[in-house]
Amino acid sequence: MTTRIHAIAGGVGFLMILLFWTSTAISELFASHETIAAVKAMILRGMFILIPAMVIAGGSGTVMGKSRTDAKALAKKKRMPLIALNGLLILLPSAWFLAGKAAAGEFDTVFYTVQAIELVAGAANLTMMGLNIRDGLTMTGRIGGSKVSSEDPQQPVIEERPSGPLVAKSIPRLTSSAGENLETRSAVALCRCGQSKKKPYCDGSHNDIGFSSNPSPNRTSDGVKVFGGEQIDVHYNRLLCSHARECGTRLKAVFDTGRDPWIIPDNASPGQIRDVVEMCPSGALSISEPGGQTRHIVGGKPGITIESNGPYRITKIPLASGVRAEGASPAKYVLCRCGASKNKPFCDGSHSDIGWTDQ
């Protein structure tokens, strides 16, 4: 919810400043003094929309980014106070001053000097806000290559059929929980409703049970939490986590769900943590040096591995719709197979909660 509020408020703020800037430029170049005065009055009234939008965008951004230390988050944090100061110290006083001068018909040298300053400051804010919007979309996986085309028949890809199976095309490997290489063909429909009698393949049972592929309204919230250390930071998005417990089993000194905080990076060496993050099948865990770029560690050969009585573990095979979650990796994620996940298409560990099995 916070992410959505932030995006809406930031978008409104960007569009309002863009409207102010373009209307000012057009009216100054082509319109009469009366029209310019009307535009200045409109801009001053528009501040009652712009200012709350910017406050909401800045506040929600601060809440979401307070524990983030990756490069894009840090860049957004640096821009936000500059945007706020530019707005409060230049744009707002300029709008008030110019509206008064225009209403009095005083289109003198002072008016046009302040007008030039306002246009430059507005362009600066538009640039910084545009960069923030771009980085926000990248951080949430909405841009930056996480979505792929499935039109090339030779391109390995996994497609989601609405309320139906997962269709895996041209995948190089489909491995059973016993380590057996299963038949893949050029395209294979894999069950994700949990009821097929031909698991892992789809037999149409999703139609019989009225399966829905929609995530639940009470799904896990999307967001990355950063656990800082002296030499390495660990990033975690619970939305992606399949609760495979690889981390706690392999390195409980760092990953222990029985305490708060459950991740303490300083309890092991960076090398040990990297090894464990590589074994995380879902991409919920990633790492960075303090203040550095976040990165996933993806090992293994491209393909799909079927977890015993559990989900599909995907390695280096893109999801056609894109892995849409903050901090997600398009090369490592886990898809639900039991049909009970609240975070569809991702696994959330519900197969363990309901006692689901392959049989």
Side-chain angles (χ1 to χ4, degrees):
M1 180 60 73
T2 304
T3 302
R4 183 171 297 177
I5 292 172
H6 178 70
I8 293 172
V12 169
F14 179 86
L15 292 174
M16 290 296 293
I17 294 178
L18 181 61
L19 174 63
F20 296 167
W21 199 95
T22 54
S23 61
T24 292
I26 293 171
S27 64
E28 293 286 357
L29 289 173
F30 305 110
S32 64
H33 285 168
E34 290 77 11
T35 301
I36 294 173
V39 168
K40 294 306 175 189
M42 178 270 292
I43 291 174
L44 190 60
R45 289 194 294 270
M47 290 292 174
F48 289 99
I49 298 176
L50 175 61
I51 292 174
M54 297 305 296
V55 170
I56 293 170
S60 57
T62 300
V63 170
M64 292 190 300
K66 62 182 178 181
S67 60
R68 297 280 306 248
T69 58
D70 52 286
K72 291 189 182 301
L74 290 174
K76 290 190 70 175
K77 289 179 184 180
K78 290 178 180 178
R79 293 186 202 113
M80 283 194 292
L82 295 176
I83 292 169
L85 288 173
N86 198 8
L88 291 174
L89 299 182
I90 299 178
L91 294 180
L92 181 57
S94 296
W96 175 80
F97 177 81
L98 292 171
K101 292 281 282 185
E106 298 175 1
F107 296 94
D108 52 16
T109 302
V110 175
F111 176 90
Y112 287 110
T113 300
V114 175
Q115 179 66 88
I117 294 172
E118 183 190 50
L119 286 172
V120 172
N125 261 14
L126 284 173
T127 300
M128 289 188 288
M129 292 173 70
L131 291 172
N132 275 4
I133 291 171
R134 180 204 64 185
D135 289 347
L137 291 172
T138 301
M139 290 162 64
T140 56
R142 290 173 172 83
I143 62 172
S146 64
K147 188 171 181 177
V148 301
S149 170
S150 59
E151 295 178 357
D152 182 358
Q154 302 303 315
Q155 170 69 42
V157 68
I158 299 173
E159 297 178 351
E160 302 169 60
R161 294 289 187 264
S163 298
L166 298 166
V167 179
K169 296 183 176 181
S170 302
I171 57 172
R173 175 181 61 82
L174 178 62
T175 305
S176 72
S177 57
E180 176 187 3
N181 289 325
L182 304 178
E183 182 181 3
T184 59
R185 303 186 295 276
S186 60
V188 60
L190 299 175
C191 173
R192 62 167 170 162
C193 74
Q195 300 301 312
S196 173
K197 296 178 176 61
K198 298 179 180 179
K199 300 181 187 72
Y201 306 110
C202 171
D203 68 354
S205 292
H206 54 275
N207 292 320
D208 299 333
I209 65 172
F211 169 73
S212 172
S213 59
N214 295 326
S216 300
N218 61 337
R219 70 180 302 181
T220 303
S221 59
D222 184 13
V224 172
K225 185 174 183 180
V226 181
F227 298 84
E230 290 291 330
Q231 302 180 68
I232 194 170
D233 293 342
V234 178
H235 304 244
Y236 174 67
N237 188 342
R238 190 169 181 269
L239 172 66
L240 293 167
C241 186
S242 64
H243 303 283
R245 299 179 179 86
E246 295 281 0
C247 53
T249 300
R250 295 173 183 273
L251 194 59
K252 192 169 185 179
V254 174
F255 303 93
D256 185 353
T257 57
R259 69 176 178 225
D260 186 19
W262 76 279
I263 299 177
I264 303 179
D266 291 336
N267 284 358
S269 70
Q272 290 175 302
I273 293 174
R274 289 189 192 97
D275 290 342
V276 171
V277 169
E278 181 177 358
M279 297 309 298
C280 172
S282 66
L285 292 173
S286 56
I287 58 173
S288 71
E289 295 178 356
Q293 181 68 45
T294 305
R295 67 185 188 276
H296 289 270
I297 303 176
V298 184
K301 297 179 179 180
I304 301 175
T305 300
I306 303 171
E307 184 179 316
S308 178
N309 301 323
Y312 300 107
R313 297 186 175 189
I314 317 298
T315 305
K316 301 175 184 175
I317 303 293
L319 189 65
S321 61
V323 185
R324 297 178 179 273
E326 185 176 352
S329 168
K332 180 167 67 170
Y333 52 96
V334 175
L335 299 177
C336 173
R337 191 158 70 99
C338 72
S341 172
K342 296 181 176 65
N343 299 337
K344 297 183 188 74
F346 307 117
C347 169
D348 68 353
S350 290
H351 55 276
S352 296
D353 298 334
I354 65 175
W356 183 84
T357 68
D358 291 304
Q359 304 304 318

